[in-house]
Amino acid sequence: MNIKPLGDRVVIKKVEAEETTKSGILLPGSAKEQPQMAEVVAVGPGGVVDGKEITMEVKVGDKVIFSKYAGTEVKFDGEEYTILRQNDILAIVE
Amino acid sequence: MNIKPLGDRVVIKKVEAEETTKSGILLPGSAKEQPQMAEVVAVGPGGVVDGKEITMEVKVGDKVIFSKYAGTEVKFDGEEYTILRQNDILAIVE
Amino acid sequence: MNIKPLGDRVVIKKVEAEETTKSGILLPGSAKEQPQMAEVVAVGPGGVVDGKEITMEVKVGDKVIFSKYAGTEVKFDGEEYTILRQNDILAIVE
Amino acid sequence: MNIKPLGDRVVIKKVEAEETTKSGILLPGSAKEQPQMAEVVAVGPGGVVDGKEITMEVKVGDKVIFSKYAGTEVKFDGEEYTILRQNDILAIVE
Amino acid sequence: MNIKPLGDRVVIKKVEAEETTKSGILLPGSAKEQPQMAEVVAVGPGGVVDGKEITMEVKVGDKVIFSKYAGTEVKFDGEEYTILRQNDILAIVE
Amino acid sequence: MNIKPLGDRVVIKKVEAEETTKSGILLPGSAKEQPQMAEVVAVGPGGVVDGKEITMEVKVGDKVIFSKYAGTEVKFDGEEYTILRQNDILAIVE
Amino acid sequence: MNIKPLGDRVVIKKVEAEETTKSGILLPGSAKEQPQMAEVVAVGPGGVVDGKEITMEVKVGDKVIFSKYAGTEVKFDGEEYTILRQNDILAIVE
């Protein structure tokens, strides 16, 4: 993976409903179109962002829950990713 | 429970009206669809969030009243939870 | 009363028009549906809220005037209360 | 007068057009419904409000011009008052 | 003139198009209804306003250009004035 | 030129499309009505503006690109100028 | 290239879909009208912008992904460029 997010941004890849079920998450019905589970594939350096010191709390490989509609979707090597701010990540699922 | 909320976020589970009555809260009629009572099931680490030092004041097991519509609903292991910021929790009920 | 408001929040109980008249306040006509007088029943600890040091200036028992529509209404033990920020309290009436 | 405004709030009583004319202000026609002249009847303590140190610059008895629609109207002892922030007072008229 | 503006406020009196032409400004056609030239008639003390130290840069007698629609219009001794923040004054014309 | 902009404001004069072409800029078709190229004719002193220290980076004579619709248009000595904040200037063209 | 962006601004040139494919990015269908890949052609000096210290993290020649609709489009020497803030650049692609 050769995308280097800037500042407090994180690149995530949405986890499909099938995989999600394996890890214990059930996304029924209409929610399937808006999966909120993703895996972190790249993490920005953090540091001073908008004048505030940001420490990155997520790392590559983390399974995370993120705000619906947050971030920007990009296509890279035929795969879809989302780039969002760490602040739009709600929780890490272990 | 293996959801680790980030920053000042808190994971809560809404308390049903039946349980609510036991603890002395009465949620009549239309309010039943919007229970504002919940139990805290996971608490973020707090620390510097958006450039401000946040101390977490709630702990796992607290019964809390929270702002209607606040936070994001997620399904996990077949159960529904809400992830919100501590600031959207109005009060602890004892 | 066992509601512990968080941060700079205050729990108030609206004062009925009849009681209001006794204390010298007259709320005529349409204003009766929007009483702005209330008694403080619980006060949060204050401290650092949203990165700002807040000192609580109201105390339990104070009669206060508050912003119409401010805060969140909750039912507790069959009684209706409003939880709002101290900043939504305009004045103390003595 | 026994209203104690909180923080940087000020209680004012609107001056009627007749009195206004005496003090040299003319409020013609439609403006009569929106008098902007008032007398200060109570002044909050100032201090740290929303994290900023506020010094009160108006005092009881000052004639002031204030922003139309600013503040909240309250009735007290049969009289109408407006509670607003000092920042909504534009000028003192001497 | 006995209006004392508070904080960083300034009282200005709009300059009529006729006078404007003398000082070299031409306000053609529809712009005549929205003159942006004015003379400063009173200046607030400045100091800490909204938590920021403000130094007043305009003085009584200055001819200034100000933002259209900025400020509040008041009538005083039969004359119309505008009270605005110094920040709504764009430039001094000499 | 005797307009003295306040704070971080800058007075610019839009450059016509003909001149623009000479300096290498081509503004085709509909863009001609919204020239974004201008020459700086007056620069404010900078300093503390809205509580932030601003250093002026443009100087009289600079050719600049600015945000469409930014600033306020004024007529002076029969010429049209725009007064805007330095922050609305995107780049200097050399 | 003789455009000198001010502050934390960056001048970028959008990368056409053909080139994009070579570097491994696939922009299918409707997305072709909104390429989000660009090459950095000029970088502002950074420094204190809006009161915050900004360090420039991108350099001329970087391939970047940026927020759709961010920035201002300008034509220069017959070529189209976009001027945006570094904060609107999401990631560097290597």
Side-chain angles (χ1 to χ4, degrees):
Chain A
M1 176 75 183
N2 46 359
I3 294 185
K4 279 175 49 184
L6 290 188
D8 61 343
R9 288 195 177 85
V10 176
V11 184
I12 59 176
K13 184 159 173 41
K14 289 178 186 169
V15 175
E16 298 299 322
E18 293 78 42
E19 301 174 42
T20 308
T21 309
K22 285 175 211 157
S23 66
I25 304 277
L26 194 80
L27 290 166
S30 66
K32 265 183 185 167
E33 276 75 63
Q34 315 165 330
Q36 287 175 263
M37 273 285 288
E39 184 173 338
V40 174
V41 294
V43 178
V48 178
V49 179
D50 285 341
K52 297 167 194 156
E53 181 71 35
I54 306 284
T55 304
M56 301 310 286
E57 298 178 61
V58 298
K59 58 182 190 303
V60 173
D62 279 352
K63 290 282 201 314
V64 295
I65 298 174
F66 63 100
S67 299
K68 274 185 278 198
Y69 313 119
T72 302
E73 302 195 354
V74 297
K75 264 211 161 183
F76 194 87
D77 288 340
E79 301 269 359
E80 275 186 15
Y81 298 95
T82 299
I83 304 180
L84 39 57
R85 295 179 173 280
Q86 178 176 263
N87 198 29
D88 289 320
I89 297 180
L90 306 176
I92 301 173
V93 182
E94 295 186 333
Chain B
M1 175 75 183
N2 47 359
I3 294 184
K4 279 176 48 184
L6 291 187
D8 61 343
R9 287 195 177 85
V10 175
V11 183
I12 58 176
K13 184 158 173 39
K14 289 178 187 170
V15 175
E16 299 299 322
E18 293 78 42
E19 301 175 44
T20 308
T21 309
K22 285 174 211 156
S23 67
I25 303 278
L26 194 81
L27 290 166
S30 67
K32 266 184 184 166
E33 275 75 65
Q34 315 165 328
Q36 287 174 263
M37 273 286 288
E39 185 173 335
V40 174
V41 294
V43 178
V48 178
V49 179
D50 286 340
K52 297 167 195 156
E53 181 70 37
I54 306 285
T55 305
M56 301 310 286
E57 299 178 62
V58 298
K59 59 181 191 302
V60 174
D62 279 353
K63 289 283 200 315
V64 295
I65 298 174
F66 62 100
S67 298
K68 274 184 278 197
Y69 313 119
T72 302
E73 302 195 353
V74 297
K75 265 211 161 183
F76 194 86
D77 287 341
E79 300 270 358
E80 275 186 16
Y81 299 95
T82 299
I83 304 179
L84 39 57
R85 296 179 172 279
Q86 178 177 263
N87 198 29
D88 289 320
I89 296 180
L90 305 176
I92 301 173
V93 181
E94 294 185 333
Chain C
M1 174 75 183
N2 47 0
I3 294 185
K4 279 177 48 185
L6 291 187
D8 61 343
R9 288 195 178 87
V10 176
V11 183
I12 58 176
K13 182 156 175 41
K14 289 179 186 167
V15 175
E16 298 300 321
E18 292 78 43
E19 300 175 45
T20 308
T21 309
K22 285 174 212 156
S23 67
I25 303 280
L26 193 82
L27 289 166
S30 66
K32 268 186 184 165
E33 275 74 66
Q34 315 165 330
Q36 288 175 263
M37 274 285 289
E39 184 173 337
V40 174
V41 293
V43 179
V48 178
V49 178
D50 286 340
K52 296 167 195 156
E53 181 70 36
I54 306 285
T55 305
M56 301 310 285
E57 299 178 60
V58 298
K59 59 182 191 303
V60 173
D62 279 352
K63 289 283 200 314
V64 295
I65 298 173
F66 63 100
S67 299
K68 275 184 278 198
Y69 313 120
T72 301
E73 301 194 354
V74 297
K75 264 211 164 184
F76 194 86
D77 287 342
E79 300 269 358
E80 275 185 15
Y81 298 95
T82 299
I83 303 179
L84 39 57
R85 296 179 172 279
Q86 178 176 263
N87 198 29
D88 289 320
I89 296 179
L90 306 176
I92 301 174
V93 182
E94 294 185 333
Chain D
M1 175 75 185
N2 46 359
I3 294 185
K4 279 176 49 186
L6 290 187
D8 61 342
R9 287 195 178 87
V10 175
V11 183
I12 58 176
K13 183 158 175 39
K14 289 179 187 169
V15 175
E16 297 300 321
E18 292 77 43
E19 300 176 43
T20 309
T21 309
K22 286 175 210 158
S23 67
I25 304 279
L26 194 81
L27 289 166
S30 68
K32 268 184 184 167
E33 276 74 66
Q34 315 165 330
Q36 288 174 263
M37 274 283 290
E39 184 173 336
V40 174
V41 294
V43 178
V48 178
V49 178
D50 285 341
K52 297 167 194 155
E53 181 71 36
I54 307 284
T55 304
M56 301 311 285
E57 299 178 60
V58 298
K59 59 182 191 303
V60 173
D62 279 352
K63 289 283 200 315
V64 296
I65 298 173
F66 63 100
S67 299
K68 274 184 279 198
Y69 313 119
T72 301
E73 302 195 353
V74 297
K75 263 211 164 185
F76 194 86
D77 287 341
E79 301 269 357
E80 275 185 15
Y81 299 95
T82 298
I83 303 179
L84 38 58
R85 296 179 172 280
Q86 178 176 263
N87 198 29
D88 289 320
I89 296 179
L90 306 176
I92 301 173
V93 181
E94 295 185 333
Chain E
M1 176 74 186
N2 46 0
I3 294 184
K4 280 176 47 184
L6 291 187
D8 62 342
R9 287 195 178 88
V10 176
V11 183
I12 59 176
K13 183 160 176 37
K14 289 179 186 168
V15 174
E16 297 299 321
E18 293 76 43
E19 301 174 43
T20 309
T21 311
K22 286 175 210 157
S23 67
I25 304 280
L26 195 82
L27 289 165
S30 68
K32 268 186 183 163
E33 276 74 65
Q34 315 165 329
Q36 288 174 263
M37 273 284 289
E39 185 173 337
V40 174
V41 294
V43 178
V48 177
V49 179
D50 284 341
K52 297 167 194 156
E53 180 71 36
I54 306 284
T55 304
M56 301 311 286
E57 298 178 61
V58 298
K59 58 181 191 304
V60 172
D62 279 352
K63 289 284 200 314
V64 296
I65 299 173
F66 63 99
S67 300
K68 274 185 279 197
Y69 314 118
T72 301
E73 302 195 353
V74 296
K75 264 211 163 184
F76 194 87
D77 286 340
E79 301 269 358
E80 276 186 13
Y81 299 95
T82 299
I83 303 179
L84 37 59
R85 296 180 173 279
Q86 178 176 264
N87 198 29
D88 289 320
I89 296 179
L90 306 175
I92 301 173
V93 182
E94 295 185 332
Chain F
M1 176 73 184
N2 46 359
I3 294 184
K4 279 175 49 184
L6 291 188
D8 62 342
R9 288 195 177 87
V10 176
V11 183
I12 59 176
K13 183 160 175 38
K14 289 178 186 168
V15 175
E16 298 299 322
E18 292 78 42
E19 300 173 44
T20 309
T21 310
K22 285 175 212 158
S23 67
I25 304 279
L26 194 81
L27 289 166
S30 67
K32 266 185 184 163
E33 275 74 65
Q34 315 165 331
Q36 287 175 264
M37 274 284 288
E39 185 173 337
V40 174
V41 293
V43 178
V48 177
V49 178
D50 286 341
K52 297 167 193 155
E53 181 71 37
I54 306 285
T55 304
M56 301 310 286
E57 298 178 60
V58 297
K59 59 181 190 303
V60 172
D62 278 353
K63 290 282 200 314
V64 296
I65 299 173
F66 62 99
S67 299
K68 273 185 279 198
Y69 313 118
T72 301
E73 302 196 353
V74 296
K75 264 212 161 183
F76 194 87
D77 287 340
E79 301 269 358
E80 275 186 15
Y81 298 95
T82 298
I83 303 180
L84 39 56
R85 296 179 172 280
Q86 179 177 261
N87 198 30
D88 289 320
I89 297 179
L90 306 175
I92 301 173
V93 182
E94 295 186 333
Chain G
M1 176 75 183
N2 46 0
I3 294 184
K4 280 176 48 184
L6 290 188
D8 62 343
R9 288 196 176 85
V10 175
V11 183
I12 59 176
K13 183 160 174 39
K14 290 178 185 168
V15 175
E16 298 299 322
E18 293 77 42
E19 300 175 44
T20 309
T21 309
K22 285 175 212 157
S23 67
I25 304 277
L26 194 81
L27 291 166
S30 67
K32 266 183 185 166
E33 276 74 64
Q34 315 166 330
Q36 289 176 262
M37 274 284 288
E39 185 173 337
V40 174
V41 293
V43 178
V48 178
V49 178
D50 285 340
K52 297 167 192 154
E53 182 70 37
I54 307 285
T55 305
M56 301 310 286
E57 298 178 61
V58 298
K59 59 181 190 303
V60 173
D62 279 352
K63 290 282 202 312
V64 295
I65 298 174
F66 62 99
S67 300
K68 272 185 280 198
Y69 313 118
T72 302
E73 301 196 354
V74 296
K75 264 211 160 183
F76 194 86
D77 288 340
E79 300 269 358
E80 275 186 15
Y81 299 95
T82 299
I83 304 180
L84 39 57
R85 296 180 173 279
Q86 179 177 262
N87 198 29
D88 288 320
I89 296 180
L90 305 175
I92 301 173
V93 182
E94 294 186 333

